[in-house]
Amino acid sequence: MDNKLVAKHIIPGEVWLDTDGTLIQAHGGGVLFHEGLYYWYGENKNGISRNARVDVIGVSCYSSSDLHTWKNEGIVLPAVTNDLEHDLNPRMVLERPKVIYNDTTRKFVMWMHIDSADYSYARAGVAISDSPVGPFEYIGSFRPNEQMSRDMTLFKDTDGKAYHIFSSEGNSTLCITLLSDDYLSPTTQYTRNFINNYREAPALFKHEGKYYIITSGCTGWSPNEAEYAVAENIMGPWKVIGNPCFGTDAETTFHSQGTYVLPIKGKSGAYIFMADRWKREDLKDSRYIWLPLQIKNNTIEIKWLNQWDLSYFNY
Ligand code: GAL
């Protein structure tokens, strides 16, 4: 490994390389912590951008122990090129993949947004693997409880229950659905939240027994102001608080759109807000904006830093 290629810091918005010196492709991603390693899953957009889209390549996975040195674990769920009707055909859309681990079945379960190029299919896709680095086996897609499903995330609670959180009803409403015990399908238990508020890019986490959700507005690849809400119960009701970002460019989420909030293992109250600075003309060069997220008196604070590392949380 060439040490020059390995970042010593988290530098939001810079070119981020893996340990091979190759541009990291994990857009709209999320991170799973499992047995001492972080696994970062995201959209591989390493193709040609035409009309603000890239053909589906698959879901990439990178592993790390320190959150700035990333080893490429490959494409753990690849596109299916030889079947035009397949959900994972390159002509489709695969966005915002998230992976959680089921302690009972010992399976890694991936959910993702599956769509047609015109975004009219609006489904959730599910894949499963025995290992965090795949290969993931694609099970299929559906509209949970007959509801449209686009931007999404997963949340595994401390009691082992897991939830699918997704923009629905033409993106006007955010649904939160309890998953089956094996995490492979939705139950019929769900709530409709932020009705008519048009929220996207949900990122949900739990801090000291309360649930927090950060969402973006609905402006496609263009950045907008984030908003967060807090709840005693994950199914709601949610109380909207406001913009979690502060300082210059807070009104555009620092020119990015959230995708995940990553709790740092072993440091209580330490989180990373993960976001994408989309480049619609060249999506593969979209940059990663990772910033420390802190909560003081139930209030989220995300501030811009040019460069930082985990020692930021040594308080
Ligand atoms: C955004 C969404 C992205 C992608 C994009 C396409 O609103 O968050 O995941 O779908 O629209 O324009």
Side-chain angles (χ1 to χ4, degrees):
M1 187 199 307
D2 180 346
N3 275 332
K4 285 201 295 287
L5 295 174
V6 175
K8 300 277 185 295
H9 307 278
I10 294 173
I11 309 178
E14 252 303 335
V15 168
W16 288 16
L17 303 177
D18 63 21
T19 53
D20 297 327
T22 304
L23 198 60
I24 294 178
Q25 287 297 325
H27 310 282
V31 173
L32 167 75
F33 184 82
H34 186 75
E35 293 181 352
L37 281 182
Y38 294 95
Y39 295 91
W40 178 11
Y41 303 89
E43 306 158 23
N44 188 316
K45 288 190 151 353
N46 196 18
I48 297 165
S49 295
R50 279 192 208 96
N51 303 324
R53 76 175 291 281
V54 174
D55 282 356
V56 173
I57 294 168
V59 177
S60 300
C61 175
Y62 296 83
S63 63
S64 177
S65 57
D66 61 13
L67 291 171
H68 50 79
T69 312
W70 292 99
K71 177 177 174 240
N72 187 0
E73 301 286 359
I75 297 178
V76 295
L77 180 71
V80 175
T81 51
N82 60 0
D83 180 356
L84 204 60
E85 298 310 311
H86 200 283
D87 279 354
L88 303 182
N89 188 268
R91 71 184 178 89
M92 299 292 282
V93 163
L94 190 179
E95 291 178 340
R96 299 185 180 272
K98 303 288 178 295
V99 175
I100 50 177
Y101 178 67
N102 190 303
D103 301 282
T104 311
T105 63
R106 299 186 174 194
K107 302 279 187 192
F108 296 83
V109 178
M110 179 190 291
W111 283 56
M112 70 213 90
H113 172 197
I114 294 291
D115 225 318
S116 45
D118 65 359
Y119 288 91
S120 62
Y121 197 47
R123 288 182 173 222
V126 180
I128 191 167
S129 174
D130 292 328
S131 152
V133 295
F136 279 81
E137 182 197 333
Y138 189 69
I139 297 176
S141 74
F142 45 81
R143 286 187 170 185
N145 294 303
E146 313 304 323
Q147 298 290 328
M148 286 184 197
S149 179
R150 293 199 178 92
D151 276 14
M152 56 138 282
T153 195
L154 294 178
F155 179 72
K156 178 177 164 183
D157 209 340
T158 34
D159 60 3
K161 288 187 175 156
Y163 301 82
H164 177 219
I165 300 103
F166 56 102
S167 303
S168 193
E169 303 175 22
N171 293 341
S172 66
T173 297
L174 197 84
C175 290
I176 301 180
T177 301
L178 173 68
L179 300 187
S180 55
D181 288 345
D182 59 10
Y183 302 167
L184 298 179
S185 49
T187 67
T188 52
Q189 245 180 290
Y190 74 95
T191 54
R192 297 168 65 235
N193 305 275
F194 312 107
I195 295 167
N196 287 327
N197 281 1
Y198 289 88
R199 307 308 302 170
E200 282 194 318
L204 195 150
F205 65 103
K206 189 179 190 178
H207 176 74
E208 291 179 352
K210 284 189 168 51
Y211 299 88
Y212 293 83
I213 190 165
I214 302 178
T215 57
S216 77
C218 226
T219 55
W221 300 120
S222 306
N224 55 55
E225 185 171 306
E227 182 181 274
Y228 77 99
V230 62
E232 301 290 337
N233 183 320
I234 190 169
M235 296 298 235
W238 290 88
K239 184 177 171 222
V240 173
I241 309 290
N243 188 350
C245 302
F246 291 87
T248 309
D249 297 328
E251 69 283 1
T252 59
T253 321
F254 312 109
H255 303 286
S256 69
Q257 183 184 31
T259 183
Y260 200 73
V261 173
L262 166 60
I264 303 200
K265 210 62 203 170
K267 290 196 184 188
S268 101
Y271 300 89
I272 298 180
F273 175 62
M274 294 169 50
D276 298 283
R277 182 174 285 173
W278 299 113
K279 219 182 251 188
R280 70 192 301 265
E281 304 308 326
D282 188 16
L283 286 159
K284 68 172 176 311
D285 193 34
S286 300
R287 303 288 170 83
Y288 308 106
I289 306 296
W290 289 19
L291 291 167
L293 181 158
Q294 283 175 301
I295 306 179
K296 293 171 187 159
N297 305 322
N298 298 330
T299 305
I300 299 185
E301 200 177 86
I302 304 169
K303 287 182 174 163
W304 178 262
L305 291 174
N306 288 330
Q307 151 174 332
W308 63 287
D309 59 44
L310 294 190
S311 67
Y312 182 91
F313 293 115
N314 289 344
Y315 38 73

